[in-house]
Amino acid sequence: MAKTEDEIFKFKRPGVAVDVILFTIKDGDLQAGLIKREEPPYSGKYALPGRFVRYEEQIEETARQALKIKGGIDPHSVFLEQLYTFGQNLERDTRIRTISIVYYGLISANQIYFQKGNKFQWFSVYKLPQLAFDHKNIIDYAVNRLRKKVWESDFAFQLMAEEFTLTELQKSYEVILNDKLDKRNFRKKILEINILKDLHKKKMEGVHRPASLYSFKKAK
Amino acid sequence: MAKTEDEIFKFKRPGVAVDVILFTIKDGDLQAGLIKREEPPYSGKYALPGRFVRYEEQIEETARQALKIKGGIDPHSVFLEQLYTFGQNLERDTRIRTISIVYYGLISANQIYFQKGNKFQWFSVYKLPQLAFDHKNIIDYAVNRLRKKVWESDFAFQLMAEEFTLTELQKSYEVILNDKLDKRNFRKKILEINILKDLHKKKMEGVHRPASLYSFKKAK
DNA sequence: TCAAAAGTGTTCTACCTACACCCATGT
DNA sequence: ACATGGGTGTAGGTAGAACACTTTTGA
């Protein structure tokens, strides 16, 4: 980094983009928001929303702008975390050598329904369409990271409505992990970590005993 | 990413650099290799070795080149892993807006001694000098990551000589974790994961019972 | 024979897993 | 009264933590 300004500018610089993989749970499935490309390269294939980093833009801001502009999603309602920076494949983008900083995000299905600018098409991560660039690898990588972190972090709440039942929360974990969980063990574990607030309200729905509603305690 | 070439080039692009934090164990301490800056900004302060990413250079290659050129270290002898990409602080580098992809690496102290081009100064991560840019934060972040991953990964072997005793290995873990470990539990755990090869040789040294030498099984 | 580090097993605890029945509701 | 999902406790197994003594060597 000890360079004069001359040195900094004397060589050709790669481009830097941010790509975002936005997850939600829809139809009992873990889904990712993708955009159909209308232009080459990879015209007709699906891609993660992305955007080149502007000179005065923080990189997380670039990610949020990509969601807004490419996906029509209100970027403030999205939990985002940096995933990895992909810069190995020099052929990744055929127009220009591009380094891609990838973020992954979570949004609850409710929030999507209410945002009518939403331009994403949602695909189950188990049934992805043909993808542009190396986006298939990126999605696989993100799903793995999501699974590793789901117990260490409370981000699964980003997928929930404001009020939810324990069974609904368990379903989200099961969808992320792609595995069945034991009801009693799940409740024990999730209540132990003390991030749930019992709203002392019941959800009356269906022909069965009503379920308690919870929200999660916001960190201060 | 769906942009015409015009769009790609019409805005000013940030620079992309790779910074590397190289760790070793010296004098019973976890140390990082730093370089004293001779030029502004931050002249006289210490910095991680770094380098701007060239157009035709894979980013891990940029990291290795930085070690070679800035530190005089043979880059093939170094374990490297991507840590995080820092791009929040627009004032990070005062000359140009720079995004920094940070790698961390490990090298055994032996290897450093034999490389006489070595230009690093080594500092205990607990007694760092005044650092340039936001490199203090980066080092703290890397140390935390190292601690989290030391049991999940076998990278601690990068810090060892070719042949080593269990006590020497334990010392390395203790230095990384900054904590004392129980000898019996450590041996049980490390032998259980089955990555050590008993060389059936003894290290005769000092006035005490000789220690068995091990190497680690290279993954194929 | 002494000092110094190597080497070795068992007990206790905490956490995770597996598992089955009663409860409250609407029809 | 029955079908449906909500709600609850316990026993067994496993992995990690704590802990002390004997062995081998060179001086």
Side-chain angles (χ1 to χ4, degrees):
Chain A
M1 301 272 305
K3 296 232 173 312
T4 65
E5 193 140 340
D6 269 5
E7 282 178 287
I8 294 172
F9 289 104
K10 83 180 176 206
F11 47 80
K12 199 172 164 195
R13 288 147 67 188
V16 199
V18 174
D19 290 314
V20 185
I21 165 159
L22 190 58
F23 290 109
T24 196
I25 292 180
K26 273 183 63 165
D27 312 324
D29 218 355
L30 183 62
Q31 307 212 342
L34 299 173
I35 299 212
K36 190 169 195 167
R37 290 181 61 82
E38 307 291 353
E39 313 151 42
Y42 296 100
S43 188
K45 302 272 198 284
Y46 287 85
L48 300 173
R51 172 181 163 89
F52 281 92
V53 179
R54 303 316 198 260
Y55 196 84
E56 346 57 23
E57 203 175 50
Q58 299 193 352
I59 55 180
E60 188 176 311
E61 189 54 30
T62 305
R64 294 190 188 277
Q65 284 297 312
L67 288 178
K68 185 170 167 186
I69 294 166
K70 295 291 180 67
I73 293 255
D74 172 14
H76 303 296
S77 59
V78 176
F79 164 91
L80 280 181
E81 189 165 292
Q82 190 181 306
L83 181 66
Y84 197 76
T85 297
F86 295 85
Q88 313 300 4
N89 181 5
L90 302 182
E91 305 307 318
R92 184 178 172 281
D93 187 317
T94 55
R95 299 157 301 171
I96 183 178
R97 191 281 171 97
T98 304
I99 290 167
S100 167
I101 304 167
V102 179
Y103 279 75
Y104 68 97
L106 299 173
I107 192 170
S108 80
N110 301 351
Q111 289 186 66
I112 298 164
Y113 293 134
F114 284 103
Q115 301 190 352
K116 287 312 291 173
N118 178 11
K119 294 175 208 152
F120 284 134
Q121 285 180 254
W122 295 91
F123 291 91
S124 161
V125 297
Y126 305 110
K127 281 171 237 152
L128 291 169
Q130 292 238 305
L131 292 168
F133 310 112
D134 53 353
H135 288 183
K136 174 77 172 74
N137 291 337
I138 293 175
I139 294 174
D140 290 345
Y141 189 93
V143 170
N144 282 331
R145 173 88 143 250
L146 202 60
R147 287 187 181 146
K148 273 193 193 139
K149 293 204 69 174
V150 71
W151 287 117
E152 299 167 28
S153 166
D154 53 6
F155 63 60
F157 294 105
Q158 305 298 136
L159 295 166
M160 308 306 296
E162 188 60 34
E163 308 186 340
F164 51 86
T165 69
L166 292 179
T167 301
E168 287 162 357
L169 183 61
Q170 185 181 338
K171 286 258 165 60
S172 293
Y173 273 77
E174 289 178 340
V175 164
I176 291 171
L177 297 167
N178 196 24
D179 203 5
K180 278 272 157 215
L181 298 174
D182 180 86
K183 193 179 8 173
R184 279 168 290 193
N185 295 338
F186 177 79
R187 284 163 188 240
K188 210 184 308 168
K189 193 164 178 174
I190 209 81
L191 291 172
E192 232 159 43
I193 57 179
N194 198 33
I195 44 170
L196 289 188
K197 186 163 48 180
D198 188 340
L199 298 174
H200 301 290
K201 298 199 308 195
K202 298 285 175 186
K203 178 170 191 174
M204 310 287 251
E205 186 190 73
V207 188
H208 55 80
R209 179 169 171 179
S212 290
L213 282 166
Y214 292 82
S215 65
F216 76 103
K217 298 181 184 168
K218 279 133 191 137
K220 272 203 302 257
Chain B
M1 300 274 302
K3 297 234 173 307
T4 66
E5 194 140 337
D6 269 4
E7 282 178 287
I8 294 172
F9 288 105
K10 82 179 176 208
F11 46 81
K12 198 173 166 195
R13 288 147 66 187
V16 200
V18 173
D19 290 315
V20 185
I21 165 160
L22 190 58
F23 290 110
T24 197
I25 292 181
K26 272 183 64 167
D27 312 324
D29 217 354
L30 183 62
Q31 307 211 343
L34 299 174
I35 300 213
K36 190 169 194 168
R37 291 181 60 82
E38 306 291 352
E39 313 150 42
Y42 296 100
S43 188
K45 302 271 198 282
Y46 287 87
L48 299 174
R51 171 181 163 90
F52 280 92
V53 179
R54 303 314 198 262
Y55 196 85
E56 346 56 24
E57 203 174 50
Q58 300 192 355
I59 55 180
E60 189 176 311
E61 189 54 31
T62 305
R64 294 190 188 277
Q65 284 296 313
L67 288 178
K68 185 170 167 186
I69 294 165
K70 295 293 179 66
I73 294 257
D74 172 14
H76 302 297
S77 60
V78 176
F79 165 90
L80 281 180
E81 189 166 292
Q82 191 182 304
L83 181 68
Y84 196 76
T85 297
F86 294 84
Q88 312 301 3
N89 181 4
L90 302 183
E91 306 308 319
R92 184 178 171 280
D93 187 318
T94 54
R95 301 157 297 170
I96 182 177
R97 190 279 169 100
T98 305
I99 289 166
S100 167
I101 305 167
V102 180
Y103 280 75
Y104 68 98
L106 299 173
I107 191 169
S108 80
N110 301 352
Q111 289 187 65
I112 297 165
Y113 293 133
F114 284 103
Q115 300 190 353
K116 285 314 293 173
N118 178 11
K119 293 175 209 154
F120 284 134
Q121 284 180 255
W122 295 90
F123 291 92
S124 161
V125 299
Y126 305 109
K127 282 171 236 150
L128 291 169
Q130 291 238 303
L131 292 166
F133 309 113
D134 53 353
H135 288 182
K136 175 76 171 72
N137 291 337
I138 293 175
I139 293 174
D140 290 345
Y141 189 92
V143 170
N144 282 330
R145 173 89 143 250
L146 204 58
R147 288 188 180 146
K148 273 192 194 142
K149 293 202 71 173
V150 71
W151 288 118
E152 298 167 28
S153 169
D154 53 6
F155 62 60
F157 294 104
Q158 305 298 136
L159 294 167
M160 308 306 296
E162 189 60 33
E163 307 187 341
F164 51 86
T165 68
L166 292 179
T167 300
E168 288 163 358
L169 184 60
Q170 184 180 339
K171 286 259 165 57
S172 293
Y173 274 76
E174 289 178 340
V175 164
I176 291 172
L177 297 167
N178 196 25
D179 204 4
K180 279 271 158 217
L181 298 174
D182 180 87
K183 191 176 13 169
R184 278 168 290 191
N185 294 338
F186 177 79
R187 284 164 186 240
K188 209 185 308 169
K189 193 164 178 174
I190 209 81
L191 292 172
E192 230 159 46
I193 58 178
N194 198 34
I195 45 172
L196 289 187
K197 185 162 48 180
D198 188 341
L199 297 175
H200 301 289
K201 298 199 308 196
K202 298 285 175 189
K203 178 170 191 174
M204 312 287 252
E205 186 189 72
V207 189
H208 54 80
R209 178 169 173 177
S212 291
L213 282 165
Y214 292 82
S215 65
F216 76 102
K217 300 180 184 168
K218 279 134 191 135
K220 273 204 299 262

